[in-house]
Amino acid sequence: MDRTIRYQIQKEDAGIRVEQFLRRRFYSRQNLAQLKKEGATWRNSQACPLKETLSCGDILEVYIREDSCSENIPAAAIPLSIVYEDEDILVVNKPAGLPMHPSRDNFYYSLANAAMYYYRNSGRFVFRCTNRLDRDTSGLTVIAKHPVSASVLGSMVKSKGDGSRPVMEREYLAIACGAVTPADDTICAPLARKENALSLHAFHPMAAPERSIERCVDFEHGERAVTHYRVLETKNGYSLLSLLLETGRTHQIRVHMAYLGYPLAGDYLYHPACRVAAIRTYPAAQLQIQESPKNPVSTRISTQISSVTVPMELTGISRQALHAYRLAFPHPMTGKRLEFTAPLPEDMQKFGFSRLLSTPHQSAEHVPLW
C-alpha cells in the first residue's frame, strides 16, 4: 500500500542528515536503500538526497510506494475481527484454529487469505504479520501495511529490551495443568528443534512427513528463550497464568510450561495425554467456502485442512489453552504508545476463573516516544 509520511523537524533534530533522522525512527537499511533508489524523500516540497542536512522547521516528506503484491496468497472471504486500523497497521483478534499463512495442505484458510480478501480493492497488498501466533493460539496480532511499518515493528519484536530500541510488550493468558509453583517466576531455558521431532504427519495423514514442528529445551544447542509468568488464579486443578515474552521462539510458552511440569491444557504436542489422544484420532476438518456474485474471489467450494483435535474430556479444551491477550508498543510511524487487549475466547472462559478481563480495551497516549 502507498503511504506518505510527513515530519516537521524540531530543534533537537536540526543539523543532522535525512538518513540519520530516519534511522532515529528505526527505518531499516533496506528501507533507506529503497527510498534512495526511488528518490522518495522531499524537503520543503523539493526532492532531496538522504545526505542532505535538515534545519529546524523543515517539512520532510517520505513517499512509500508498494509495487509488489502477495500474488501467491489467494483471497478468501474469512471474517476478520479488527481491533484497530490506520494507514500503517492493522491489529486483529485471531480465532483459534486459523493458521497465519497458507500451506501446501491448507491453501485457502489462513489469516493471510483473510487479509488479502479484506484489501482486495487496494490494488497492491503484501501480507506482513509481525508477531506470529500458532494456529491454535488465539488473540492479538499486528499486520504491517507497508515495508517501513513492517521493519519498525519487526525490530520491536526482536529488541533485547536494553533500551536501544522500543519493545513490543506481548502478554499471554494461559491455562496450565496443576497448581503452578512458584507463583511468580522467570523461565530462562534455551529452545531448539527436537531431534527426531514429531511432524504433522503423525496427526494427519494428509500432512507432509518432513514438516517437523516440535521443539524442546536444549541448554547446549538451543537459542535464548525467556518467559516471565505470574499465577493469577488456581482452581479445580488448573492455573490461570499471565505470561510476558522477552523472546519469541517457536512454541516458547508451550515448551517452557511443559518443561516446568505444568503443560498447557489441550496441548497436543507437549501434554502427554493429549499427545497420545491426538495421534490416535487422525482428525480432518472441512472448510466450506461458498461462492456468490458479490464474492467472486472465493471460488473453492471446499478444501481440506489439517486439524488436530484433542478430546475435551482430557483437559476441558480441544486445543492448547493459550491466548495473546495484550499488545503494547509505540506506533511505528508516530511513536505514540498503543495498547490493546482481547478477552478470553469462550473455550477458555469455561474453566470458570473469576479473574478474567472480559472487556476489550485499546488506548493511545498522545506523547510520542521518539
Side-chain angles (χ1 to χ4, degrees), residues 1 66 68-70 116 124-128 143-145:
M1 289 185 175
E66 186 82 90
S68 56
C69 181
S70 296
M116 293 304 295
R124 301 178 303 277
F125 177 72
V126 176
F127 180 73
R128 301 180 178 95
I143 298 170
K145 296 172 72 171

Side-chain angles (χ1 to χ4, degrees), residues 297-347:
V297 181
S298 299
T299 56
R300 284 290 186 97
I301 300 302
S302 67
T303 182
Q304 192 171 37
I305 64 171
S306 300
S307 177
V308 177
T309 303
V310 175
M312 289 191 65
E313 59 268 20
L314 283 176
T315 57
I317 192 170
S318 59
R319 53 104 179 182
Q320 69 260 16
L322 183 60
H323 178 67
Y325 165 68
R326 183 177 68 90
L327 282 179
F329 54 93
H331 189 282
M333 308 316 301
T334 68
K336 294 178 182 177
R337 178 178 168 80
L338 301 175
E339 182 174 358
F340 309 98
T341 61
L344 279 182
E346 290 185 6
D347 58 354

Side-chain angles (χ1 to χ4, degrees), residues 50-256:
L50 294 178
K51 64 182 180 180
E52 187 160 321
T53 302
L54 295 168
S55 300
C56 183
D58 282 349
I59 300 298
L60 176 66
E61 292 177 305
V62 178
Y63 298 95
I64 301 171
R65 298 292 177 259
E66 186 82 90
D67 295 325
S68 56
C69 181
S70 296
E71 297 178 351
N72 295 325
I73 302 177
I78 302 166
L80 280 177
S81 177
I82 297 174
V83 177
Y84 174 85
E85 182 179 14
D86 61 24
E87 293 180 287
D88 305 295
I89 62 173
L90 176 72
V91 180
V92 175
N93 184 12
K94 185 187 82 67
L98 183 68
M100 301 297 290
H101 296 89
S103 62
R104 186 176 68 180
D105 308 309
N106 172 27
F107 198 56
Y108 292 90
Y109 185 68
S110 72
L111 184 64
N113 298 118
M116 293 304 295
Y117 182 82
Y118 182 68
Y119 291 115
R120 66 193 181 281
N121 296 323
S122 66
R124 301 178 303 277
F125 177 72
V126 176
F127 180 73
R128 301 180 178 95
C129 196
T130 302
N131 60 312
R132 299 179 181 180
L133 303 177
D134 295 340
R135 179 197 60 203
D136 289 331
T137 297
S138 56
L140 296 170
T141 187
V142 187
I143 298 170
K145 296 172 72 171
H146 55 76
V148 176
S149 60
S151 294
V152 178
L153 288 170
S155 71
M156 293 181 197
V157 173
K158 297 176 182 177
S159 176
K160 298 179 181 180
D162 56 4
S164 61
R165 287 182 177 271
V167 176
M168 180 180 290
E169 296 177 22
R170 294 163 288 170
E171 181 182 359
Y172 289 74
L173 293 180
I175 298 173
C177 297
V180 177
T181 55
D184 190 337
D185 203 359
T186 295
I187 309 168
C188 299
L191 302 183
R193 187 182 298 272
K194 187 176 182 180
E195 288 189 27
N196 303 316
L198 207 59
S199 76
L200 285 177
H201 185 72
F203 301 105
H204 194 290
M206 296 292 292
E210 68 274 8
R211 289 172 58 193
S212 175
I213 57 176
E214 197 175 0
R215 300 297 192 272
C216 66
V217 170
D218 187 336
F219 285 95
E220 184 176 356
H221 303 105
E223 295 181 297
R224 178 177 178 268
V226 181
T227 305
H228 309 278
Y229 77 85
R230 177 167 54 96
V231 177
L232 300 178
E233 187 177 353
T234 299
K235 182 177 181 179
N236 299 328
Y238 295 98
S239 297
L240 176 65
L241 307 176
S242 166
L243 305 105
L244 285 171
L245 290 183
E246 186 171 318
T247 57
R249 306 300 179 193
T250 299
H251 298 176
Q252 178 172 315
I253 290 174
R254 299 166 64 184
V255 177
H256 273 176

